[in-house]
Coordinates of all heavy atoms in Angstrom, one line a residue:
M16 N 0.9 -1.2 0.0 CA 0.0 0.0 0.0 C 0.9 1.2 0.0 O 1.9 1.3 0.6 CB -0.9 0.0 1.2 CG -2.0 -1.0 1.2 SD -3.3 -0.5 2.2 CE -3.2 -1.7 3.5
S17 N 0.4 2.3 -0.7 CA 1.2 3.5 -0.7 C 0.9 4.3 0.5 O -0.2 4.2 1.1 CB 0.8 4.3 -2.0 OG -0.5 4.7 -1.9
T18 N 1.8 5.3 0.9 CA 1.6 6.1 2.0 C 1.4 7.6 1.6 O 1.6 8.4 2.3 CB 2.9 6.0 2.9 OG1 4.0 6.4 2.1 CG2 3.0 4.6 3.4
T19 N 0.9 7.8 0.4 CA 0.8 9.2 -0.1 C -0.6 9.7 0.3 O -0.9 10.9 0.0 CB 0.8 9.2 -1.6 OG1 -0.2 8.3 -2.2 CG2 2.2 8.7 -2.1
G20 N -1.5 9.0 0.9 CA -2.8 9.4 1.3 C -3.9 8.7 0.7 O -3.7 7.7 0.0
P21 N -5.1 9.0 0.9 CA -6.2 8.2 0.4 C -6.3 8.3 -1.1 O -6.0 9.3 -1.8 CB -7.5 9.0 1.0 CG -7.0 10.3 1.4 CD -5.5 10.2 1.7
V22 N -6.8 7.2 -1.8 CA -6.9 7.1 -3.2 C -8.3 7.6 -3.6 O -9.3 7.1 -3.0 CB -6.6 5.7 -3.6 CG1 -6.9 5.6 -5.2 CG2 -5.3 5.2 -3.2
K23 N -8.3 8.5 -4.5 CA -9.7 9.0 -4.9 C -10.3 7.9 -5.8 O -9.7 7.4 -6.7 CB -9.5 10.3 -5.7 CG -10.8 11.1 -5.8 CD -10.5 12.5 -6.3 CE -11.8 13.3 -6.2 NZ -11.6 14.7 -6.6
A24 N -11.6 7.6 -5.6 CA -12.3 6.6 -6.4 C -12.8 7.2 -7.7 O -13.9 7.7 -7.8 CB -13.4 6.0 -5.6
T25 N -12.0 7.1 -8.7 CA -12.4 7.6 -10.0 C -12.3 6.5 -11.0 O -11.7 5.4 -10.7 CB -11.5 8.7 -10.6 OG1 -10.2 8.3 -10.7 CG2 -11.6 10.0 -9.6
R26 N -12.8 6.6 -12.3 CA -12.8 5.5 -13.2 C -11.3 5.2 -13.5 O -11.0 4.0 -13.8 CB -13.5 6.0 -14.4 CG -13.9 4.9 -15.4 CD -14.7 5.5 -16.5 NE -16.0 6.0 -16.1 CZ -17.1 5.3 -16.3 NH1 -17.1 4.3 -17.0 NH2 -18.2 5.9 -16.0
E27 N -10.5 6.2 -13.5 CA -9.1 5.9 -13.9 C -8.3 5.2 -12.8 O -7.5 4.3 -13.1 CB -8.3 7.3 -14.2 CG -8.7 7.9 -15.5 CD -10.1 8.7 -15.2 OE1 -10.3 9.1 -14.1 OE2 -10.8 9.0 -16.2
T28 N -8.5 5.5 -11.6 CA -7.8 5.0 -10.5 C -8.4 3.6 -10.0 O -7.8 2.8 -9.3 CB -7.7 5.9 -9.2 OG1 -9.1 6.1 -8.8 CG2 -7.0 7.2 -9.6
L29 N -9.5 3.3 -10.5 CA -10.1 2.0 -10.1 C -9.2 0.8 -10.5 O -9.1 -0.2 -9.7 CB -11.5 1.9 -10.7 CG -12.4 0.7 -10.2 CD1 -12.6 0.8 -8.7 CD2 -13.7 0.7 -10.9
Y30 N -8.7 0.8 -11.7 CA -7.9 -0.3 -12.1 C -6.5 -0.1 -12.0 O -5.6 -1.1 -12.0 CB -8.3 -0.5 -13.6 CG -9.7 -0.8 -13.8 CD1 -10.6 0.0 -14.4 CD2 -10.2 -2.1 -13.4 CE1 -11.9 -0.2 -14.5 CE2 -11.6 -2.4 -13.6 CZ -12.4 -1.5 -14.1 OH -13.7 -1.7 -14.2
T31 N -5.9 1.1 -11.6 CA -4.5 1.3 -11.5 C -4.0 1.4 -10.1 O -2.9 1.1 -9.8 CB -4.1 2.6 -12.2 OG1 -4.8 3.7 -11.7 CG2 -4.3 2.5 -13.7
A32 N -5.0 1.8 -9.2 CA -4.6 2.0 -7.7 C -4.6 0.7 -7.1 O -5.1 -0.3 -7.5 CB -5.5 3.0 -7.1
D33 N -4.1 0.8 -5.9 CA -4.1 -0.4 -5.0 C -5.5 -0.7 -4.7 O -6.1 0.1 -3.9 CB -3.1 -0.2 -3.8 CG -3.0 -1.5 -3.0 OD1 -3.1 -2.6 -3.5 OD2 -2.9 -1.2 -1.8
R34 N -6.1 -1.8 -5.1 CA -7.6 -1.9 -4.8 C -7.9 -2.1 -3.4 O -8.9 -1.6 -2.9 CB -8.0 -3.2 -5.6 CG -8.0 -2.9 -7.1 CD -8.6 -4.1 -7.8 NE -10.0 -4.0 -7.7 CZ -10.8 -3.9 -8.7 NH1 -10.4 -3.9 -9.9 NH2 -12.1 -3.9 -8.5
A35 N -7.0 -2.7 -2.6 CA -7.3 -2.8 -1.1 C -7.4 -1.5 -0.5 O -8.2 -1.3 0.4 CB -6.2 -3.7 -0.5
E36 N -6.5 -0.7 -0.8 CA -6.5 0.7 -0.2 C -7.7 1.5 -0.6 O -8.4 2.1 0.1 CB -5.3 1.5 -0.6 CG -5.2 2.8 0.0 CD -3.8 3.5 -0.4 OE1 -3.0 3.0 -1.1 OE2 -3.7 4.7 0.0
L37 N -8.2 1.3 -1.9 CA -9.4 2.0 -2.4 C -10.5 1.4 -1.6 O -11.4 2.3 -1.2 CB -9.5 1.7 -3.9 CG -10.7 2.4 -4.6 CD1 -10.4 3.9 -4.7 CD2 -10.8 1.7 -6.0
F38 N -10.7 0.2 -1.5 CA -11.8 -0.4 -0.7 C -11.8 0.0 0.7 O -12.9 0.2 1.4 CB -12.0 -1.9 -0.9 CG -12.2 -2.2 -2.3 CD1 -11.6 -3.3 -2.9 CD2 -13.3 -1.7 -3.0 CE1 -11.9 -3.7 -4.3 CE2 -13.6 -2.0 -4.3 CZ -12.9 -3.0 -4.9
D39 N -10.6 0.1 1.4 CA -10.5 0.5 2.8 C -11.0 1.9 2.9 O -11.7 2.2 3.9 CB -9.1 0.4 3.3 CG -8.7 -1.1 3.4 OD1 -9.5 -2.0 3.5 OD2 -7.4 -1.4 3.5
N40 N -10.6 2.8 2.0 CA -11.1 4.2 2.1 C -12.5 4.3 1.9 O -13.2 5.0 2.6 CB -10.4 5.0 1.0 CG -8.9 5.2 1.4 OD1 -8.5 5.2 2.5 ND2 -8.0 5.5 0.4
R41 N -13.1 3.5 1.0 CA -14.5 3.5 0.8 C -15.3 3.0 2.1 O -16.2 3.6 2.5 CB -14.9 2.7 -0.4 CG -16.4 2.7 -0.7 CD -16.8 1.7 -1.8 NE -16.6 0.4 -1.1 CZ -16.6 -0.7 -1.9 NH1 -16.9 -0.8 -3.1 NH2 -16.4 -1.9 -1.2
D42 N -14.8 2.0 2.6 CA -15.4 1.4 3.8 C -15.3 2.5 5.0 O -16.3 2.6 5.8 CB -14.8 0.1 4.3 CG -15.1 -1.0 3.3 OD1 -16.0 -0.9 2.5 OD2 -14.3 -2.0 3.4
R43 N -14.2 3.1 5.2 CA -14.0 4.2 6.1 C -15.0 5.3 5.9 O -15.6 5.8 6.9 CB -12.6 4.7 6.1 CG -12.4 5.8 7.2 CD -10.9 6.3 7.1 NE -10.6 6.7 5.7 CZ -10.9 7.9 5.3 NH1 -11.6 8.7 5.9 NH2 -10.5 8.2 4.0
L44 N -15.2 5.8 4.7 CA -16.2 6.8 4.4 C -17.7 6.4 4.7 O -18.4 7.1 5.2 CB -16.1 7.3 2.9 CG -14.7 8.0 2.6 CD1 -14.7 8.2 1.0 CD2 -14.7 9.4 3.3
V45 N -18.0 5.2 4.4 CA -19.4 4.6 4.7 C -19.5 4.5 6.2 O -20.6 4.9 6.7 CB -19.6 3.3 4.0 CG1 -20.8 2.6 4.5 CG2 -19.6 3.4 2.4
R46 N -18.5 4.0 6.9 CA -18.7 3.9 8.4 C -18.8 5.3 9.0 O -19.6 5.5 9.9 CB -17.4 3.2 8.8 CG -17.5 2.7 10.3 CD -16.2 1.9 10.7 NE -15.7 1.1 9.7 CZ -14.4 1.3 9.3 NH1 -13.7 2.3 9.7 NH2 -13.9 0.6 8.3
D47 N -18.0 6.2 8.5 CA -18.2 7.6 9.1 C -19.5 8.3 8.8 O -20.1 8.9 9.7 CB -17.1 8.6 8.5 CG -15.7 8.2 9.0 OD1 -15.5 7.5 9.9 OD2 -14.7 8.7 8.3
K48 N -20.0 8.0 7.6 CA -21.4 8.5 7.3 C -22.5 7.9 8.2 O -23.3 8.5 8.6 CB -21.7 8.3 5.8 CG -23.0 8.8 5.3 CD -23.0 10.4 5.4 CE -22.5 11.0 4.1 NZ -22.7 12.3 4.1
W49 N -22.3 6.5 8.4 CA -23.4 5.9 9.3 C -23.2 6.3 10.7 O -24.3 6.4 11.4 CB -23.2 4.3 9.1 CG -23.9 3.8 7.9 CD1 -23.4 3.3 6.9 CD2 -25.3 3.7 7.9 NE1 -24.5 2.9 5.9 CE2 -25.7 3.2 6.6 CE3 -26.5 4.1 8.7 CZ2 -27.0 3.0 6.2 CZ3 -27.7 3.9 8.2 CH2 -28.0 3.3 7.0
V50 N -22.1 6.6 11.1 CA -22.0 7.1 12.5 C -22.7 8.5 12.7 O -23.4 8.8 13.6 CB -20.5 7.3 12.9 CG1 -20.3 8.1 14.2 CG2 -19.8 5.9 13.1
K51 N -22.5 9.3 11.7 CA -23.2 10.6 11.7 C -24.7 10.5 11.6 O -25.5 11.1 12.3 CB -22.9 11.5 10.5 CG -21.3 12.0 10.6 CD -21.0 12.8 9.4 CE -19.5 13.3 9.5 NZ -19.2 14.1 8.3
I52 N -25.2 9.5 10.8 CA -26.6 9.3 10.7 C -27.2 8.7 12.0 O -28.2 9.1 12.4 CB -26.9 8.3 9.5 CG1 -26.6 9.0 8.2 CG2 -28.3 7.7 9.6 CD1 -26.6 8.0 7.0
M53 N -26.4 7.8 12.7 CA -26.9 7.2 13.9 C -27.0 8.3 15.0 O -27.8 8.3 15.9 CB -26.1 6.0 14.3 CG -26.3 4.9 13.4 SD -28.0 4.3 13.4 CE -28.3 4.5 11.7
K54 N -26.0 9.1 15.0 CA -25.9 10.2 16.0 C -27.2 11.1 15.8 O -27.8 11.5 16.8 CB -24.7 11.0 15.9 CG -23.5 10.4 16.6 CD -22.3 11.2 16.4 CE -21.0 10.7 17.1 NZ -19.9 11.5 17.0
L55 N -27.4 11.5 14.6 CA -28.6 12.3 14.2 C -30.0 11.6 14.7 O -30.9 12.3 15.2 CB -28.7 12.6 12.8 CG -29.7 13.7 12.4 CD1 -29.3 15.1 12.9 CD2 -29.7 13.7 10.9
R56 N -30.0 10.3 14.5 CA -31.1 9.6 14.9 C -31.4 9.6 16.4 O -32.5 9.8 16.9 CB -31.0 8.1 14.5 CG -32.3 7.3 14.9 CD -32.1 5.9 14.5 NE -32.3 5.7 13.1 CZ -32.1 4.7 12.4 NH1 -32.0 3.5 13.0 NH2 -32.3 4.6 11.1
I57 N -30.3 9.5 17.3 CA -30.4 9.7 18.7 C -30.8 11.0 19.0 O -31.7 11.2 20.0 CB -29.0 9.3 19.3 CG1 -28.7 7.9 19.1 CG2 -29.0 9.8 20.8 CD1 -27.3 7.5 19.5
V58 N -30.3 12.1 18.4 CA -30.8 13.5 18.7 C -32.3 13.6 18.4 O -33.0 14.2 19.1 CB -30.0 14.5 17.9 CG1 -30.5 15.9 18.1 CG2 -28.5 14.5 18.4
R59 N -32.7 13.0 17.3 CA -34.1 13.1 16.9 C -35.0 12.4 17.9 O -36.1 12.9 18.2 CB -34.3 12.5 15.5 CG -35.7 12.7 14.9 CD -35.9 12.2 13.6 NE -35.7 10.8 13.5 CZ -34.9 10.3 12.5 NH1 -34.3 11.0 11.6 NH2 -34.7 9.0 12.5
E60 N -34.6 11.3 18.4 CA -35.3 10.6 19.4 C -35.5 11.4 20.7 O -36.6 11.5 21.3 CB -34.7 9.2 19.7 CG -34.9 8.2 18.5 CD -34.2 6.9 18.7 OE1 -33.4 6.8 19.6 OE2 -34.3 6.1 17.8
K61 N -34.3 12.0 21.1 CA -34.4 12.8 22.3 C -35.3 14.0 22.1 O -36.0 14.4 23.1 CB -33.0 13.2 22.6 CG -32.1 12.1 23.2 CD -30.7 12.7 23.6 CE -29.9 11.6 24.2 NZ -28.6 12.1 24.6
L62 N -35.3 14.5 20.9 CA -36.1 15.6 20.6 C -37.6 15.3 20.7 O -38.4 16.0 21.2 CB -35.8 16.2 19.2 CG -36.5 17.4 18.7 CD1 -36.3 18.6 19.7 CD2 -36.0 17.8 17.3
A63 N -38.0 14.1 20.2 CA -39.3 13.6 20.2 C -39.8 13.4 21.7 O -40.9 13.7 22.1 CB -39.5 12.3 19.5
E64 N -38.9 12.9 22.5 CA -39.1 12.7 23.9 C -39.4 14.0 24.6 O -40.3 14.2 25.4 CB -38.1 11.9 24.6 CG -37.9 10.5 24.2 CD -36.7 9.9 24.8 OE1 -36.0 10.5 25.6 OE2 -36.5 8.6 24.4
C65 N -38.6 15.0 24.2 CA -38.6 16.3 24.8 C -39.9 16.9 24.5 O -40.6 17.6 25.3 CB -37.4 17.3 24.4 SG -37.4 18.8 25.1
Y66 N -40.3 16.9 23.2 CA -41.6 17.5 22.8 C -42.7 16.8 23.5 O -43.7 17.5 24.0 CB -41.9 17.2 21.3 CG -41.3 18.2 20.3 CD1 -41.2 17.8 19.0 CD2 -40.6 19.3 20.8 CE1 -40.6 18.7 18.1 CE2 -40.0 20.2 19.9 CZ -40.0 19.9 18.5 OH -39.4 20.8 17.7
H67 N -42.7 15.5 23.8 CA -43.8 14.8 24.5 C -43.8 15.2 26.0 O -44.8 15.4 26.5 CB -43.6 13.3 24.4 CG -44.6 12.6 25.0 ND1 -46.0 12.5 24.5 CD2 -44.7 11.8 26.0 CE1 -46.7 11.8 25.3 NE2 -46.0 11.2 26.2
R68 N -42.6 15.3 26.6 CA -42.5 15.6 28.0 C -42.9 17.0 28.3 O -43.5 17.3 29.3 CB -41.0 15.4 28.4 CG -40.8 15.6 29.9 CD -39.3 15.3 30.3 NE -38.4 16.2 29.6 CZ -37.5 15.7 28.7 NH1 -37.3 14.4 28.5 NH2 -36.7 16.6 28.0
E69 N -42.4 18.0 27.5 CA -42.6 19.4 27.7 C -44.0 19.9 27.3 O -44.4 21.0 27.7 CB -41.5 20.3 27.1 CG -40.1 19.9 27.6 CD -40.0 20.2 29.1 OE1 -40.7 21.0 29.6 OE2 -39.2 19.5 29.7
S70 N -44.6 19.4 26.4 CA -45.9 19.6 25.7 C -45.9 21.1 25.4 O -45.5 21.6 24.4 CB -47.0 19.1 26.6 OG -47.4 20.0 27.6
V71 N -46.7 21.9 26.2 CA -46.8 23.3 25.8 C -45.6 24.2 25.8 O -45.5 25.0 24.9 CB -47.9 23.9 26.9 CG1 -48.1 25.4 26.6 CG2 -49.2 23.2 26.8
N72 N -44.6 23.9 26.6 CA -43.4 24.7 26.7 C -42.3 24.1 25.9 O -41.1 24.4 26.1 CB -43.0 24.7 28.2 CG -43.9 25.4 29.1 OD1 -44.6 26.3 28.6 ND2 -44.0 25.0 30.3
H73 N -42.5 23.3 24.9 CA -41.5 22.7 24.1 C -40.7 23.7 23.3 O -39.5 23.5 22.9 CB -42.1 21.6 23.2 CG -42.9 22.1 22.0 ND1 -44.2 22.4 22.1 CD2 -42.5 22.4 20.8 CE1 -44.6 22.8 21.0 NE2 -43.7 22.9 20.1
M74 N -41.3 24.9 22.9 CA -40.6 25.9 22.2 C -39.4 26.4 23.0 O -38.3 26.7 22.3 CB -41.5 27.0 21.7 CG -42.7 26.5 20.9 SD -42.1 26.3 19.1 CE -42.2 28.0 18.5
Q75 N -39.6 26.5 24.2 CA -38.5 27.1 25.1 C -37.5 25.9 25.5 O -36.3 26.1 25.5 CB -39.1 27.8 26.2 CG -39.8 29.0 25.9 CD -40.7 29.5 27.1 OE1 -40.7 28.9 28.1 NE2 -41.3 30.6 27.0
N76 N -38.1 24.9 26.0 CA -37.3 23.9 26.7 C -36.6 22.9 25.8 O -35.6 22.2 26.2 CB -38.2 23.1 27.7 CG -38.7 24.0 28.7 OD1 -38.2 25.1 29.0 ND2 -39.8 23.6 29.3
C77 N -36.9 22.9 24.5 CA -36.3 21.9 23.6 C -35.5 22.6 22.5 O -35.0 22.0 21.5 CB -37.4 21.0 22.9 SG -38.3 20.1 24.1
R78 N -35.2 23.8 22.7 CA -34.5 24.7 21.7 C -33.1 24.2 21.4 O -32.7 24.2 20.2 CB -34.5 26.2 22.2 CG -33.9 27.1 21.2 CD -33.9 28.5 21.7 NE -33.6 29.4 20.7 CZ -34.4 30.1 19.9 NH1 -35.7 29.8 20.1 NH2 -34.0 30.9 19.0
V79 N -32.4 23.8 22.4 CA -31.0 23.3 22.2 C -31.0 22.1 21.3 O -30.1 21.9 20.5 CB -30.4 23.0 23.7 CG1 -29.0 22.4 23.5 CG2 -30.4 24.2 24.5
L80 N -31.9 21.2 21.6 CA -32.0 19.9 20.7 C -32.3 20.3 19.3 O -31.8 19.7 18.4 CB -33.0 19.0 21.3 CG -32.5 18.2 22.6 CD1 -33.7 17.4 23.1 CD2 -31.4 17.4 22.3
V81 N -33.2 21.2 19.1 CA -33.6 21.6 17.7 C -32.5 22.2 16.9 O -32.2 21.9 15.9 CB -34.9 22.6 17.8 CG1 -35.1 23.2 16.4 CG2 -36.0 21.8 18.3
E82 N -31.8 23.1 17.7 CA -30.5 23.8 17.0 C -29.5 22.7 16.7 O -28.9 22.8 15.6 CB -30.0 24.8 18.0 CG -31.0 26.0 18.1 CD -30.5 27.1 19.1 OE1 -29.5 26.7 19.9 OE2 -31.1 28.1 19.2
R83 N -29.3 21.8 17.6 CA -28.3 20.7 17.3 C -28.7 19.9 16.1 O -27.9 19.5 15.3 CB -28.1 19.9 18.5 CG -27.0 18.8 18.3 CD -26.6 18.1 19.6 NE -25.7 17.0 19.2 CZ -25.3 16.1 20.2 NH1 -25.7 16.3 21.4 NH2 -24.4 15.2 19.7
Y84 N -30.0 19.5 16.1 CA -30.6 18.6 15.0 C -30.4 19.3 13.7 O -29.9 18.8 12.7 CB -32.0 18.3 15.3 CG -32.6 17.4 14.3 CD1 -32.3 16.0 14.3 CD2 -33.5 17.9 13.3 CE1 -32.8 15.1 13.4 CE2 -34.0 17.0 12.4 CZ -33.7 15.7 12.5 OH -34.2 14.8 11.5
L85 N -30.7 20.6 13.7 CA -30.6 21.3 12.4 C -29.2 21.6 12.0 O -28.9 21.7 10.8 CB -31.4 22.7 12.6 CG -32.9 22.6 12.6 CD1 -33.5 24.0 12.8 CD2 -33.5 22.0 11.4
K86 N -28.2 21.7 12.9 CA -26.9 21.9 12.6 C -26.2 20.6 12.0 O -25.5 20.7 11.1 CB -26.1 22.3 13.9 CG -24.6 22.6 13.6 CD -23.9 22.9 14.9 CE -23.7 21.7 15.8 NZ -22.6 20.9 15.7
D87 N -26.6 19.4 12.6 CA -26.0 18.1 12.2 C -26.8 17.6 10.9 O -26.2 16.6 10.3 CB -26.2 17.2 13.3 CG -25.2 17.6 14.5 OD1 -24.3 18.4 14.2 OD2 -25.4 17.0 15.6
L88 N -27.9 18.1 10.6 CA -28.7 17.5 9.5 C -28.0 17.5 8.2 O -28.0 16.4 7.5 CB -30.1 18.2 9.5 CG -31.1 17.6 8.4 CD1 -31.4 16.2 8.8 CD2 -32.3 18.4 8.4
P89 N -27.4 18.6 7.7 CA -26.8 18.5 6.4 C -25.7 17.6 6.3 O -25.5 17.0 5.2 CB -26.3 20.0 6.1 CG -27.1 20.8 7.1 CD -27.4 19.9 8.3
D90 N -24.9 17.3 7.4 CA -23.8 16.3 7.3 C -24.2 14.9 7.3 O -23.5 14.1 6.8 CB -22.9 16.5 8.5 CG -22.2 17.9 8.5 OD1 -22.0 18.5 7.4 OD2 -21.9 18.4 9.6
A91 N -25.4 14.6 7.7 CA -26.0 13.2 7.8 C -26.8 12.8 6.7 O -27.4 11.8 6.8 CB -26.7 13.1 9.1
Q92 N -26.9 13.6 5.5 CA -27.7 13.2 4.5 C -27.0 12.0 3.7 O -25.8 11.9 3.5 CB -27.8 14.4 3.5 CG -28.6 15.6 4.1 CD -30.1 15.3 4.4 OE1 -30.7 14.5 3.7 NE2 -30.5 15.7 5.5
I93 N -27.9 11.1 3.3 CA -27.4 10.0 2.5 C -27.4 10.4 1.1 O -28.5 10.8 0.5 CB -28.2 8.7 2.7 CG1 -28.2 8.2 4.1 CG2 -27.9 7.6 1.7 CD1 -29.2 7.2 4.4
G94 N -26.3 10.3 0.4 CA -26.2 10.8 -1.0 C -26.1 9.6 -1.9 O -26.1 8.5 -1.6
G95 N -25.8 9.9 -3.2 CA -25.5 8.8 -4.2 C -26.8 8.6 -5.1 O -27.8 9.3 -5.0
R96 N -26.5 7.7 -6.0 CA -27.6 7.4 -7.0 C -28.6 6.4 -6.4 O -28.3 5.6 -5.6 CB -26.9 6.8 -8.2 CG -26.9 7.7 -9.3 CD -26.5 7.2 -10.7 NE -25.6 6.0 -10.6 CZ -25.2 5.5 -11.7 NH1 -25.5 6.0 -12.9 NH2 -24.4 4.5 -11.7
P97 N -29.9 6.6 -6.8 CA -30.8 5.6 -6.4 C -30.5 4.3 -7.1 O -29.9 4.3 -8.2 CB -32.2 6.2 -6.8 CG -31.9 7.2 -7.8 CD -30.5 7.7 -7.5
P98 N -31.0 3.2 -6.5 CA -30.7 1.9 -7.1 C -31.5 1.7 -8.4 O -32.6 2.4 -8.6 CB -31.2 0.9 -6.1 CG -32.2 1.6 -5.3 CD -31.8 3.0 -5.2
F99 N -30.9 0.9 -9.4 CA -31.6 0.7 -10.6 C -32.7 -0.3 -10.4 O -32.6 -1.4 -9.8 CB -30.5 0.2 -11.6 CG -31.1 -0.3 -12.9 CD1 -31.5 0.7 -13.9 CD2 -31.3 -1.6 -13.2 CE1 -32.1 0.4 -15.0 CE2 -31.9 -2.0 -14.4 CZ -32.3 -1.0 -15.4
L100 N -33.9 0.1 -10.9 CA -35.0 -0.8 -10.8 C -35.4 -1.2 -12.2 O -35.8 -0.4 -13.0 CB -36.3 -0.1 -10.1 CG -36.0 0.4 -8.7 CD1 -37.2 1.2 -8.3 CD2 -35.7 -0.8 -7.9
P101 N -35.4 -2.6 -12.5 CA -35.7 -2.9 -13.9 C -37.2 -2.9 -14.2 O -38.0 -2.8 -13.4 CB -35.3 -4.4 -13.9 CG -35.0 -4.8 -12.5 CD -34.9 -3.6 -11.7

């Protein structure tokens, strides 16, 4: 494996780069993305509990959770192409 850094997954490097390093980088990126998604899910569950618990005063008492949820939301989006359906 080379020590020059991560290999960018492009059409040209797919067949010329060290494939193990390419797949390791892809797996690391997928793992990082899932960690962000799961953290966001936990915040969303806590927010739902806060809404239920605070009822009328949820606008004041759940504000911190809403701000955190909105801050983390763009980073946790799942991207990519939709699957091909025949």
Side-chain angles (χ1 to χ4, degrees):
M16 288 203 250
S17 68
T18 59
T19 58
V22 177
K23 196 168 190 180
T25 63
R26 197 178 294 252
E27 294 81 23
T28 61
L29 185 60
Y30 298 105
T31 59
D33 185 32
R34 292 183 78 116
E36 185 177 354
L37 185 71
F38 292 134
D39 289 344
N40 289 334
R41 183 190 64 190
D42 290 344
R43 181 181 50 79
L44 290 173
V45 169
R46 195 175 325 115
D47 291 344
K48 184 62 94 171
W49 274 108
V50 167
K51 289 179 182 179
I52 291 170
M53 291 301 121
K54 283 182 179 179
L55 189 69
R56 181 181 287 178
I57 291 170
V58 172
R59 186 175 62 224
E60 289 171 357
K61 287 182 180 182
L62 183 60
E64 290 172 7
C65 184
Y66 278 169
H67 183 70
R68 182 180 61 242
E69 300 297 332
S70 82
V71 178
N72 297 327
H73 72 274
M74 297 283 276
Q75 296 168 351
N76 298 338
C77 301
R78 183 179 191 95
V79 174
L80 288 172
V81 170
E82 289 172 353
R83 181 172 177 186
Y84 184 77
L85 291 176
K86 182 181 72 84
D87 293 343
L88 185 61
D90 294 336
Q92 296 294 324
I93 299 175
R96 255 191 326 186
F99 174 74
L100 300 175

